[in-house]
Amino acid sequence: MADDEPANRDLFDELLTSQGFNVITVPDGDSALKCLSTTPVDLVLLDVMMPRMSGFEVCDKIKTNPDTDLIPVILVTALSDKQDRIEGIKSRADDFLTKPVDRNELLARVGSLLKLKHRTDELERAETVLFTLARSIEGKDPYTHGHCERLSEYSAALGSHLGLPEDEITALRRAGVVHDIGKIAVPDAILLKPGKLTSDDWKVMKEHPAIGERICAPLKSFRLVLPIIRHHHEKLDGSGYPNGLRGEEIPITARILTIVDIYDALTTARPYKTAFSVTQTLEIMKEEVARGWWDPRIFMQFAQLVHSGAVNLRSRAAAASGDGGASTGGIVGRKGS
Ligand SMILES: [Fe+2]
């Protein structure tokens, strides 16, 4: 609870402590933000009129920081001014209380927001389980080390460069980590096979997008992630899997992730190929765009990002020359990455 008036802090402290809550009181916005950076907090009560930083500004900072944006904030205002409410809504406050604070109203609002926070925490735990599972699958294969993190970062950067809305960028960030989670159902003998995959191996490998979609489907917050997982191996000309979608039938987020996925696979050494340089990789992808596999507009924007250095796409090229390892289909050797 942040309030510059000691009497108000004591009042809130007393009311909430008597109900069994652990209360931390601070005299200003700075101290509130410092406290949030070091202590896990379930709910924040902010006085609006504080010196240096107003409650609105503190609230805005809390809601802008991804580490604290899910913590509910109640603004406490002396004014029942409409403008104040509008400011509060703009700063993304979850609720309001008007001074003098009514005890029952305070407890009711705190109680309902804590319930909401509890549900959000559970959801976060479910996401954490999925991310851990996805990383453990990645960890099986030393060649793909760091692939999920790079995909997450670069897909989000490309999505943002293309002007996608915030929720789709968040979906891309999550999909970067979990897109291959369905590989849990692919036996290691296929997943880690150093040579060519047989047609039976491919049948199994090609099931991973649909299986991944099923694993993540129960999570409502993954609604926009599911189509990316399902369609990250589709090709524009309809020759991809699992649905053989064509052109814009493939969700734009999936087309974005695919471009970054292919780039990362090509610039990384795999058991079946060496790493290509950035220049070689972009050339190969350009040929594949011409073949009708990848979205030309998204590829061009991505190539621009690579050239501008806006995203730190370091090549993990092992050799400046050479055309890589055994071909497993397509223009260059490649497995379902
Ligand atoms: Fe994949």
Side-chain angles (χ1 to χ4, degrees):
M1 198 286 142
D3 197 316
D4 55 316
E5 288 288 332
N8 284 338
R9 293 203 297 273
D10 290 347
L11 178 73
F12 276 102
D13 194 1
E14 221 175 279
L15 279 174
L16 293 167
T17 307
S18 71
Q19 296 300 309
F21 295 112
N22 290 322
V23 185
I24 305 169
T25 56
V26 289
D28 53 49
D30 264 331
S31 320
L33 293 173
K34 250 180 228 144
C35 176
L36 286 171
S37 67
T38 54
T39 317
V41 165
D42 289 321
L43 178 104
V44 178
L45 282 147
L46 292 173
D47 180 31
V48 168
M49 304 288 277
M50 289 189 287
R52 292 180 297 281
M53 208 190 296
S54 74
F56 300 131
E57 287 171 84
V58 183
C59 182
D60 191 59
K61 284 188 191 296
I62 292 172
K63 296 294 181 183
T64 312
N65 180 348
D67 292 332
T68 55
D69 63 343
L70 297 177
I71 302 175
V73 176
I74 301 179
L75 287 175
V76 186
T77 169
L79 315 157
S80 52
D81 190 352
K82 196 174 162 193
Q83 192 53 38
D84 238 27
R85 297 253 159 175
I86 294 171
E87 277 299 307
I89 292 165
K90 275 192 197 159
S91 68
R92 289 160 284 171
D94 297 274
D95 213 339
F96 301 89
L97 276 172
T98 312
K99 287 182 190 171
V101 170
D102 176 81
R103 179 182 178 276
N104 291 332
E105 191 185 355
L106 167 71
L107 295 178
R109 290 187 194 275
V110 165
S112 78
L113 282 176
L114 283 179
K115 252 188 229 157
L116 196 70
K117 173 70 166 52
H118 185 64
R119 255 182 259 139
T120 314
D121 286 350
E122 278 185 350
L123 196 68
E124 270 205 293
R125 276 194 285 276
E127 281 188 25
T128 308
V129 170
L130 284 184
F131 287 164
T132 308
L133 181 62
R135 288 194 177 101
S136 74
I137 297 161
E138 180 196 68
K140 275 194 203 177
D141 183 354
Y143 284 91
T144 57
H145 181 71
H147 176 66
C148 289
E149 257 59 44
R150 289 193 296 274
L151 229 63
S152 181
E153 188 190 331
Y154 307 156
S155 306
L158 183 54
S160 153
H161 185 66
L162 289 162
L164 256 55
E166 203 52 51
D167 54 352
E168 290 190 345
I169 294 169
T170 304
L172 277 169
R173 196 166 278 123
R174 288 170 166 156
V177 182
V178 299
H179 68 289
D180 273 341
I181 202 166
K183 283 186 178 171
I184 188 117
V186 178
D188 286 358
I190 298 175
L191 202 60
L192 306 175
K193 198 170 188 172
K196 273 189 182 182
L197 296 186
T198 65
S199 61
D200 281 346
D201 293 341
W202 270 112
K203 245 183 236 162
V204 177
M205 185 66 116
K206 284 182 176 181
E207 283 171 9
H208 81 270
I211 293 169
E213 184 194 27
R214 276 207 299 280
I215 292 172
C216 296
L219 220 54
K220 279 188 190 143
S221 62
F222 271 43
R223 190 177 51 86
L224 295 176
V225 183
L226 301 183
I228 311 179
I229 300 174
R230 183 173 183 91
H231 298 298
H232 76 275
H233 285 290
E234 303 282 3
K235 289 176 181 160
L236 245 60
D237 62 1
S239 64
Y241 61 91
N243 294 101
L245 297 187
R246 289 173 174 273
E248 301 212 341
E249 286 173 352
I250 308 166
I252 183 166
T253 42
R255 280 178 271 148
I256 289 173
L257 187 104
T258 306
I259 295 255
V260 181
D261 196 12
I262 298 299
Y263 179 90
D264 197 71
L266 288 171
T267 52
T268 315
R270 298 283 167 99
Y272 49 94
K273 64 172 261 302
T274 54
F276 292 105
S277 71
V278 170
T279 314
Q280 284 173 319
T281 298
L282 291 178
E283 273 308 311
I284 292 164
M285 290 180 74
K286 218 160 113 184
E287 281 175 46
E288 295 178 347
V289 167
R291 265 194 169 204
W293 285 5
W294 321 128
D295 187 309
R297 184 177 74 95
I298 298 174
F299 171 71
M300 261 175 55
Q301 297 292 326
F302 180 67
Q304 260 179 29
L305 274 185
V306 174
H307 289 309
S308 71
V311 286
N312 183 21
L313 294 159
R314 281 176 297 115
S315 164
R316 287 156 299 279
S321 59
D323 59 1
S327 174
T328 54
I331 291 172
V332 291
R334 184 179 306 158
K335 281 184 191 160
S337 43

